[in-house]
Amino acid sequence: MMRIDVVVIGAGAAGLMCAQQAGYRGRSVLVIDNAKKPGRKILISGGGRCNFTNHQTGPQAFLCTNPHFCKSALARYTQQDFIDLVDRHGVNYHEKTLGQLFCDESAKEIVDVLLTECDWAGVSLQFQTEILSVTKNDEGFVLLTSKGEIVCQSLVVATGGLSMPKLGATPFGYKLAEQFGLDVLPTRAGLVPFTLHQADKEAFASLAGVSLPVAVTAEDGTRFKEAMLFTHRGLSGPAILQISSFWLPGEKIHINLLPDLDILAALKGWAQAHPAQELKTVLGRELPKRFVDILVDLGQLSNKPMRQYNERELDTIATLLGDWQLLPNGTEGYRTAEVTLGGVDTNELSSKTMEARQVPGLYFIGEVVDVTGWLGGYNFQWAWSSGWVAGQYC
Ligand code: FDA
């Protein structure tokens, strides 16, 4: 039987950050993972370049049943703290758009930073280890694993969410929370592409691969202005991934196809400047031509020379282009989702330490908790921040 101060379950972003912090405090720390190697989601993130944080990180970029919960951790370990860390390790990076920071070379550099820090902090790591049971007694937590029994004073759960089961995602953290009497809020896929109903899928099939700048609004009023991508199965691209986290089945999404224009004024201007040109021709300068053709074929737009439209008709066209509505069939689910919404109820945890209020010594950090960031490096920042604070106390 092995005795150790802290066991961290999950060698992902949050777990590795927490482990090094606890190690630097002089705690003996063991990180256990069922996978063959650490940080697999980090390695594939950001197209292999890891969007590791966002300059604009703040509580506004997170979904949580208690919107105040994430404030403490985000304020105590900020995006600048993580930037300073990667600077100290000589990792080169660049800002892409909207404050998103990516590695110049490879996401592996971020995993290397975390592993180097764990090494300096004296943290041990053990892979391909299954946890068969966890119990608590007077000595602490007793873990029965496929590689033997471990007793620890503090147990940190950093097993992530359900997205990408191919990468080894498991519901372990949620089940453990429930075993210890903590509430777990229903989970669903977030930052995930939409699938379309058969008729829409067929209508827009030829647009697969076409991307356009839009502003998408969910029925709760949340709006994102980014690119939308047509795919073979439906819709993707940053604007769609963002809005998917705010979408519930049966709800429509509202898409402004020309978000940078006062559309009615533009239509009137085009009618004056090019009275003989057809709507299709005029709109084809602003939108993908094939898309305009499809809208005409579907009867959503009537096509004739600009001079023939009266004011009411121009108004109808402006409304269609500014509030084009689609009813998604669903999402692609956990198979392709970047994150899992819901999870361990934050009411069960201290926002300062991430410790379960009713179970001293038990901590939950990272994506397993009901805190989900927007697309853009926010989810890693939550992993770093929540992992860091837990590491100061566990
Ligand atoms: P994470 O999933 O990283 O780690 C959990 C660990 O627990 C894993 O190592 C797993 O093997 C282990 N584990 C699970 N079950 C276990 C069990 N039963 N026993 C033992 N170990 C177990 N975010 C962002 O900010 N910027 C980005 O660029 C991207 N890009 C991106 C791309 C893709 C394709 C995905 C799927 C996700 C992203 N994300 C992202 C989201 C980001 O990857 C995610 O939010 C963090 O990895 C969450 O960190 P955690 O440490 O909580 O879980």
Side-chain angles (χ1 to χ4, degrees):
M1 200 228 318
M2 179 191 211
R3 281 179 195 280
I4 195 144
D5 293 338
V6 182
V7 167
V8 177
I9 309 177
L16 292 175
M17 174 57 85
C18 176
Q20 57 184 258
Q21 290 303 310
Y24 283 133
R25 281 173 45 238
R27 302 282 275 165
S28 57
V29 184
L30 172 68
V31 181
I32 297 178
D33 204 296
N34 59 359
K36 279 191 194 147
K37 55 180 190 174
R40 283 191 303 171
K41 275 199 188 155
I42 302 175
L43 292 172
I44 59 154
S45 67
R49 295 240 163 97
C50 186
N51 177 195
F52 56 81
T53 192
N54 194 300
H55 276 313
Q56 296 164 17
T57 302
Q60 82 290 343
F62 293 87
L63 290 89
C64 177
T65 308
N66 171 4
H68 302 293
F69 181 83
C70 63
K71 287 181 180 171
S72 172
L74 292 175
R76 289 174 67 210
Y77 190 82
T78 67
Q79 56 273 38
Q80 192 55 49
D81 289 319
F82 195 77
I83 293 167
D84 291 345
L85 176 68
V86 299
D87 279 341
R88 285 200 296 279
H89 285 260
V91 175
N92 294 319
Y93 54 85
H94 58 280
E95 181 176 339
K96 224 173 177 178
T97 52
L98 304 170
Q100 303 168 4
L101 298 187
F102 287 77
C103 297
D104 285 354
E105 297 293 324
S106 156
K108 185 172 175 300
E109 292 175 283
I110 299 296
V111 177
D112 289 345
V113 167
L114 298 168
L115 290 179
T116 301
E117 292 282 338
C118 280
D119 185 34
W120 290 345
V123 171
S124 308
L125 294 111
Q126 190 174 297
F127 296 98
Q128 293 182 289
T129 304
E130 299 292 332
I131 294 155
L132 307 172
S133 70
V134 179
T135 50
K136 191 168 193 256
N137 63 23
D138 292 345
E139 291 184 73
F141 296 89
V142 182
L143 279 68
L144 193 59
T145 81
S146 54
K147 293 192 176 160
E149 196 173 285
I150 306 166
V151 178
C152 60
Q153 293 167 2
S154 296
L155 180 62
V156 182
V157 183
T159 45
L162 297 171
S163 56
M164 298 247 166
K166 266 203 302 200
L167 286 184
T170 73
F172 180 90
Y174 308 123
K175 291 201 170 139
L176 193 77
E178 282 170 347
Q179 182 197 323
F180 281 95
L182 276 65
D183 272 346
V184 175
L185 301 174
T187 58
R188 64 190 166 90
L191 301 182
V192 61
F194 284 132
T195 55
L196 293 177
H197 288 283
Q198 194 57 29
D200 286 333
K201 198 173 141 185
E202 282 169 16
F204 302 113
S206 66
L207 293 176
V210 171
S211 168
L212 62 157
V214 297
V216 188
T217 309
E219 292 208 346
D220 71 353
T222 307
R223 180 179 188 266
F224 288 96
K225 186 168 170 256
E226 284 189 66
M228 173 175 86
L229 173 72
F230 287 93
T231 71
H232 291 290
R233 287 180 290 270
L235 294 175
S236 187
I240 295 299
L241 298 182
Q242 297 279 32
I243 217 70
S244 71
S245 296
F246 296 83
W247 176 83
L248 292 172
E251 292 181 352
K252 286 182 177 163
I253 53 169
H254 301 256
I255 305 172
N256 185 337
L257 297 168
L258 295 168
D260 293 319
L261 285 182
D262 175 338
I263 302 175
L264 184 58
L267 286 167
K268 286 178 179 171
W270 296 328
Q272 287 219 319
H274 314 287
Q277 287 185 5
E278 292 189 337
L279 178 70
K280 259 177 156 180
T281 312
V282 169
L283 281 184
R285 290 191 201 107
E286 306 292 330
L287 291 168
K289 282 194 172 53
R290 257 185 298 157
F291 182 40
V292 178
D293 287 343
I294 291 169
L295 293 179
V296 171
D297 291 346
L298 290 173
Q300 296 187 16
L301 288 176
S302 64
N303 184 49
K304 55 187 178 182
M306 292 304 291
R307 75 160 80 82
Q308 292 180 18
Y309 289 99
N310 62 33
E311 188 126 347
R312 194 177 44 80
E313 288 172 315
L314 290 181
D315 202 48
T316 305
I317 296 167
T319 303
L320 178 104
L321 297 173
D323 185 18
W324 189 56
Q325 298 181 17
L326 269 183
L327 180 66
N329 185 24
T331 72
E332 290 188 5
Y334 293 121
R335 189 178 60 81
T336 59
E338 283 201 11
V339 286
T340 303
L341 294 149
V344 177
D345 189 347
T346 55
N347 287 321
E348 303 281 8
L349 307 175
S350 153
S351 62
K352 187 176 170 205
T353 64
M354 307 302 289
E355 188 176 20
R357 293 179 194 282
Q358 305 301 331
V359 190
L362 181 62
Y363 297 77
F364 290 85
I365 55 174
E367 198 179 319
V368 73
V369 179
D370 171 38
V371 174
T372 307
W374 293 351
L375 186 78
Y378 299 104
N379 285 295
F380 278 135
Q381 186 58 45
W382 171 246
W384 315 136
S385 297
S386 59
W388 187 91
V389 293
Q392 311 308 311
Y393 301 95
C394 63

